[in-house]
């Protein structure tokens, strides 16, 4: 389970850095008007909260919500024309 915890922290950090780079690379209006950016923000927030409160009984269910990160990866794949 230590390897999974390490990957969880690694991917959460990667997605958080990616979100920050995205936020600073666009002007504020462009960033907050895009629904995908709000989705990214929600996923990163839940992932961070879940890592911080990992040993709290009520927050263990947040691990399931973190599976939504897969949608973030899929949306970045090139779509056929």
């Amino acid at each position: 389970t230590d390897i999974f915890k390490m990957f969880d922290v690694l991917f959460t950090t990667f997605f958080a850095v990616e979100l920050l780079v995205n936020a600073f690379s666009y002007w504020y209006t462009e960033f907050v008007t895009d629904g995908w950016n709000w989705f990214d923000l929600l996923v990163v927030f839940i992932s961070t909260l879940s890592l911080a409160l990992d040993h709290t009984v009520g927050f263990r269910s947040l691990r399931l919500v973190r599976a939504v990160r897969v949608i973030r990866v899929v949306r970045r794949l090139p779509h056929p024309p």
Side-chain angles (χ1 to χ4, degrees):
T1 61
D2 289 336
I3 190 83
F4 293 119
K5 180 72 170 179
M6 182 185 70
F7 278 122
D8 196 19
V9 171
L10 180 73
F11 282 113
T12 300
T13 304
F14 173 75
F15 286 136
V17 168
E18 188 256 344
L19 179 69
L20 289 172
V21 167
N22 191 13
F24 286 114
S25 65
Y26 292 105
W27 292 102
Y28 176 77
T29 307
E30 288 181 47
F31 182 77
V32 298
T33 56
D34 185 13
W36 281 112
N37 289 332
W38 283 101
F39 177 74
D40 290 348
L41 185 64
L42 178 69
V43 170
V44 168
F45 176 75
I46 289 173
S47 297
T48 305
L49 185 66
S50 178
L51 285 175
L53 302 173
D54 190 33
H55 298 293
T56 306
V57 176
F59 289 98
R60 289 183 182 230
S61 61
L62 288 178
R63 289 181 181 178
L64 296 174
V65 178
R66 290 185 296 183
V68 175
R69 290 186 290 197
V70 173
I71 297 172
R72 292 186 67 215
V73 173
V74 170
R75 78 174 176 104
R76 302 231 186 252
L77 295 175
H79 299 286

